[in-house]
Amino acid sequence: MNLRAHATELVTAVLKDGRSLNEMLTPAAQAFSDSRDRALLKELVYGSLRHFRRLAAVRDRLLSQALQNPQGKLANLLVVGLYQLMYTRIPAHAAVADTVNAVSDINEDRARGLVNAVLRSYQRKGETLLAQIDSDWGVQHSHPEWLVSAFKRAYGRDTEQLLAANNAPAPMTLRVNSRRGKLTDYQALLTALDIVSTAHPEARDALVLQTPMDVNQLPGFADGAVSVQDAAAQLAADYLDVQPGMRVLDACCAPGGKTAHLLERTPTAELLAIDNDINRLERVRETLARLQLQAELKMADAGEPASWWNQQPFDRILLDAPCSGTGVIRRHPDIKWLRRERDIPVLAAQQLKLLQALWPTLARGGKLLYATCSSLPAENAEVIAAFLAGQTDAELLPLPGHAGDRADRVIRTGEAQMDGFYYALLGKR
């Protein structure tokens, strides 16, 4: 199948069928033996979804009449074609020709003339069209209107900066295994291989690569010397402050990056890691095996402690709660189109329920770190406020090493090259 047609199939599966790119992209890429083709497929799919609303607005203005199926493959093939002209260095003649050639593979052979005409028309009128549509932030930065409104309520005039950050490709950040060696030693190893990296200013185990690369090309990756994890996620280990011998719960542990980091820092901790998805739990098991770390893994629902808790209180609990993922849109642009406004109160209710269910399992004097990769206060500060209002033995504690003006912390997407994140540390009196 033509690569543009393949990209169109994936974009349509997200937008029309509500499927996640995580489950589709890797198997789809296996259809191409050349790594350059696999990289181009990913670029076209990610880029088309990242800028979909703006691309669709341009497409619709270039059509003389509306398409019969505005969510169909032909409509999305035009988006893929426009993405190449507007955002890539692919020569225009190649972008147009290869996109026109894709119509047969999506069973729209009679639309060859239409696709050619729309793309050629963009080359003549594009600049004028963009000036007309870019006055609307939601169109210019390709976010759904409900999400733009939610960001405006939370971030005011900084909203446009956040929208732009959500569309910027994320860096590849490594977590150096402190059990295996010093960060400076691993960085020297990278330098010797002409791999440029920078130590992160906050996350002390983090190196940010100048250019993303295949993990299998990283020295020592297979042996557990290093992992890939965003710097914001790495801060969990600092904030939870696990000490040797402590009894620790990682309540929603998959895919296991934070679980592993806690053990790399404190291998003598007694760590129970639970998740309610057996397939995701298997990924945790594989991660710990690669890193040669030990934890008790259990498939369980964190919201139902009666089914898995042995009544021995935990000294530390990490609750990385299920959330909208609006802080990691730059890594997963399909989130913008898969989430709905109605999802947010449902998630907030689930997050509060998890906090309330886990609180009795925390020892007096213990600490619970609440985390999400959401940028929405409804899933963060408002959940914590609702929890504290009903829990007389809970208090909000300062985050270790963080000198902000609040006890909790909102990390905005792109801040110090990090994903959007939220942390609140709760102490039990």
Side-chain angles (χ1 to χ4, degrees), residues 52-300:
F52 176 77
R53 191 174 172 193
R54 191 175 190 230
L55 294 164
V58 171
R59 175 200 64 196
D60 293 346
R61 287 184 177 236
L62 291 171
L63 290 166
S64 57
Q65 61 182 32
L67 295 169
Q68 287 186 337
N69 185 357
Q71 293 185 311
K73 293 177 185 176
L74 176 58
N76 292 327
L77 176 63
L78 289 169
V79 164
V80 172
L82 287 168
Y83 172 72
Q84 297 166 74
L85 296 177
M86 292 167 61
Y87 292 99
T88 75
R89 295 180 179 178
I90 297 171
H93 68 276
V96 173
D98 287 340
T99 305
V100 170
N101 288 335
V103 296
S104 297
D105 284 339
I106 62 167
N107 298 318
E108 294 282 0
D109 212 21
R110 288 186 297 179
R112 294 179 70 89
L114 172 68
V115 172
N116 185 65
V118 168
L119 298 184
R120 297 291 184 195
S121 181
Y122 173 76
Q123 293 179 282
R124 297 190 303 275
K125 305 176 183 175
E127 197 169 321
T128 303
L129 282 179
L130 293 178
Q132 294 170 356
I133 65 175
D134 280 349
S135 59
D136 183 322
W137 285 358
V139 176
Q140 182 186 2
H141 298 292
S142 290
H143 281 62
E145 208 56 45
W146 73 267
L147 192 51
V148 175
S149 297
F151 285 158
K152 282 182 176 177
R153 289 193 295 274
Y155 300 102
R157 287 182 293 182
D158 294 339
T159 296
E160 187 173 16
Q161 184 181 0
L162 179 61
L163 297 175
N166 280 344
N167 286 341
M172 182 172 180
T173 304
L174 308 181
R175 186 188 75 238
V176 178
N177 186 345
S178 55
R179 292 183 68 207
R180 302 288 301 278
K182 296 179 180 177
L183 180 140
T184 50
D185 291 340
Y186 191 80
Q187 188 174 29
L189 195 57
L190 293 178
T191 302
L193 296 171
D194 292 327
I195 301 172
V196 180
S197 66
T198 306
H200 192 271
E202 284 193 69
R204 69 186 202 219
D205 297 325
L207 288 173
V208 182
L209 298 188
Q210 184 180 66
T211 305
M213 59 189 298
D214 187 329
V215 294
N216 296 309
Q217 295 177 1
L218 291 169
F221 177 80
D223 300 326
V226 69
S227 300
V228 177
Q229 187 181 37
D230 186 79
Q234 295 188 39
L235 293 176
D238 288 335
Y239 292 158
L240 194 56
D241 187 30
V242 175
Q243 299 297 315
M246 280 187 169
R247 181 167 160 75
V248 182
L249 171 67
D250 188 350
C252 300
C253 66
K258 297 183 187 68
T259 313
H261 196 195
L262 292 174
L263 288 170
E264 287 170 1
R265 287 280 186 85
T266 320
T268 59
E270 181 189 344
L271 196 149
L272 171 63
I274 66 174
D275 202 275
N276 63 0
D277 185 316
I278 188 64
N279 294 321
R280 286 166 56 83
L281 199 61
E282 184 56 32
R283 288 182 58 192
V284 180
R285 194 182 309 281
E286 292 169 359
T287 295
L288 295 184
R290 179 179 66 83
L291 296 168
Q292 301 170 42
L293 297 168
Q294 299 291 328
E296 181 184 359
L297 302 184
K298 186 175 290 187
M299 190 179 78

Side-chain angles (χ1 to χ4, degrees), residues 291-319:
L291 296 168
Q292 301 170 42
L293 297 168
Q294 299 291 328
E296 181 184 359
L297 302 184
K298 186 175 290 187
M299 190 179 78
D301 184 341
E304 303 288 346
S307 66
W308 52 264
W309 184 42
N310 64 3
Q311 303 298 312
Q312 295 183 38
F314 295 100
D315 303 298
R316 296 286 188 271
I317 295 176
L318 172 61
L319 173 54

